[in-house]
Amino acid sequence: MSSGAARSDTGRNPQRNPLRDPLDRRLPRIAPPCGLVLFGVTGDLSRKKVMPAIYDLANRGLLPPGFSLTGFARRDWADQDFAQVVHDSVEEHARTPFREEVWDQLAEGFRFVSGDFSDDAAFERLRATIEELDETRGTGGNHAFYLAIPPGAFGDVVGQLREHGLTESGAGAWRRVVVEKPFGHDLASARKLNTTLDEVFSDGSIFRIDHYLGKETVQNILALRFANTMFEPIWNANYVDHVQITMAEDVGIGGRAGYYDGIGAARDVIQNHLLQLMSLVAMEEPTSFEAAALRIEKQKLLSSIRLPDDLAATTARGQYAAGWAGGEKVTGFLQEDGIAPKSATETFAAITLDVDNRRWAGVPFYLRTGKRLGRRVTEVAIVFKRPPHHFFNPDATEELTQNVLVIRVQPDEGMTVRFGSKVPGTTMEIRDVTMDFAYGSTFTEASPEAYERLILDVLLGDPPLFPRHEEVELSWRILDPILDFWAAQDQKGKRPEAYDSGSWGPASADAMLARDGRVWRRP
């Protein structure tokens, strides 16, 4: 640092030392002494996301030296066998480089408990293991239980935790539970699940993971809207024509037939990821970025969402058929292993939603998700209205489309603005141009993986990015009528429409927008 920079900094606040000030937001927040118990350690989620994220947090110095990770599964493993599983997962999926000294310290806190969810003796061994970790690793009675298991097993595990005294903590300590989506399969089951959790854990100790909320660009939606005066004045029905929110995948269901068949694209993605994205894009400005203030505005927005009257015209669903994707010939959904030949489960879903408030009155929100689409991409597109009149010759603007602000969530995080500009030359010709901001080329810091942020927030007890049960139930209130309508269509023999793998979905989805005089973006 130059002497001039130093004088300037101390001149503003001579008492403040940024290297020691606990309020300086540039300083990392490190988890307190604690441990995490992971149920479902053999699943893809644990191996590909949770275990690598824990290592990456340790590698970044954000976990306490005595952090412990306890695995629970029906495997006849010793502690070292579990350590090898974690090692293999880290080696294959971790974001940060492998460092032996970090691994050695982390691995000292690995424990494994063998048993199934109905095994009382196993949960007694788990209680003894936690007590041993408190004694030898200094975890201080602070433990989070991560349920990376099917929702149907939540009640069994939570009941066993309560039965064996594992949800009780001493003075100044905490016990928390982490649950993964789906949060039920409809409103009734979501309420039942919430009741099960609420009977055992306090409201502030329940963390519902929606990993999309941990992505850097999703969090940046709030910064984009409320830290820039150029956007907020036009973020309303006076200027916005419509909004498109897309989560497209270029892969099929893979080996997830047992999970996916009967769930479908709407339950899997729209009920959680896309409605959460929509709430952040459309909500009013919160009084602060504290969890309570954010939740109030998200809940108000979700409460304001209305379904159009004609669901046949404003929704679409489909199943991918055989075709070409990524240069390879692929099978259709109904030919996938484990899928019933007459399955009505949708792999593509698109819906139209209206927001019944002054800011968004008359602005449709189009949400879509699907598998085996043209490419993997998640984005929010704010499409603006055309100017009220053009004084340009129509020939001069024939290549000009509507202004669009695109927020790219994945895979290349960033934002793009499309607007019209004059083409160099002597004639007045207007053409679309884009301005692009990409995280990878703008910031030297690499974006943490979403699970790193979310797991650290659990250990810190920081809840802003976790949906509360009110939000979950409001989301099901929106989606349930659509699912009921589709089920009635199935009874009439109107199945999901087939679409070619590698395309952008069924023709009915294009017709849905065409009725409004609009078209889907092709990212």
Side-chain angles (χ1 to χ4, degrees), residues 15 21 35 85-86 92 105 119 125 139 198 272 320 326 328 333 335 357 421 424 427 459 482 496:
Q15 302 301 317
D21 190 343
V85 171
V86 180
E92 185 174 358
Q105 178 173 298
D119 187 349
R125 291 194 296 272
T139 45
D198 289 341
N272 38 74
Y320 63 80
E328 296 182 358
F333 175 71
Q335 289 75 51
N357 64 22
S421 180
T427 61
L459 302 179
I482 296 174

Side-chain angles (χ1 to χ4, degrees), residues 262-437:
I263 298 293
R267 286 186 175 96
D268 190 39
V269 175
I270 291 180
Q271 183 272 334
N272 38 74
H273 298 331
L274 298 195
L275 283 175
Q276 283 289 322
L277 278 176
M278 179 177 171
S279 66
L280 292 174
V281 168
M283 72 182 193
E284 295 299 321
E285 182 176 359
T287 55
S288 73
F289 289 131
E290 297 298 319
L294 287 171
R295 285 168 177 165
I296 287 170
E297 297 306 331
K298 286 201 292 180
Q299 287 170 214
K300 283 167 57 178
L301 188 281
L302 291 169
S303 299
S304 300
I305 292 177
R306 299 289 179 265
L307 295 177
D309 294 331
D310 187 358
L311 294 181
T314 56
T315 68
R317 59 181 179 144
Q319 291 177 340
Y320 63 80
W324 291 85
E328 296 182 358
K329 193 169 185 178
V330 296
T331 60
F333 175 71
L334 296 179
Q335 289 75 51
E336 297 276 14
D337 291 340
I339 296 298
K342 295 185 179 180
S343 172
T345 300
E346 80 283 354
T347 63
F348 177 97
I351 65 174
T352 307
L353 298 176
D354 298 319
V355 180
D356 192 10
N357 64 22
R358 291 189 63 179
R359 179 187 289 269
W360 297 112
V363 178
F365 284 72
Y366 301 111
L367 280 58
R368 64 172 170 171
T369 182
K371 293 187 176 294
R372 288 265 189 252
L373 297 182
R375 62 169 296 203
R376 173 177 173 261
V377 63
T378 300
E379 67 170 36
V380 177
I382 315 296
V383 183
F384 293 92
K385 293 180 178 179
R386 296 182 183 276
H389 68 86
H390 279 300
F391 61 86
F392 298 102
N393 184 306
D395 292 338
T397 58
E398 62 181 355
E399 295 186 44
L400 182 65
T401 59
Q402 289 167 276
N403 299 156
V404 182
L405 170 64
V406 179
I407 303 167
R408 298 189 307 273
V409 177
Q410 68 176 14
D412 50 341
E413 296 180 315
M415 285 177 284
T416 297
V417 181
R418 186 179 75 196
F419 57 96
S421 180
K422 180 183 177 299
V423 178
T426 56
T427 61
M428 179 58 77
E429 180 183 355
I430 311 296
R431 189 180 300 169
D432 283 340
V433 296
T434 60
M435 294 178 62
D436 191 72
F437 151 64

Side-chain angles (χ1 to χ4, degrees), residues 203-216:
D203 189 50
S205 299
I206 302 170
F207 291 77
R208 298 168 182 84
I209 288 273
D210 185 338
H211 69 270
Y212 261 62
L213 299 184
K215 291 184 178 293
E216 197 71 41

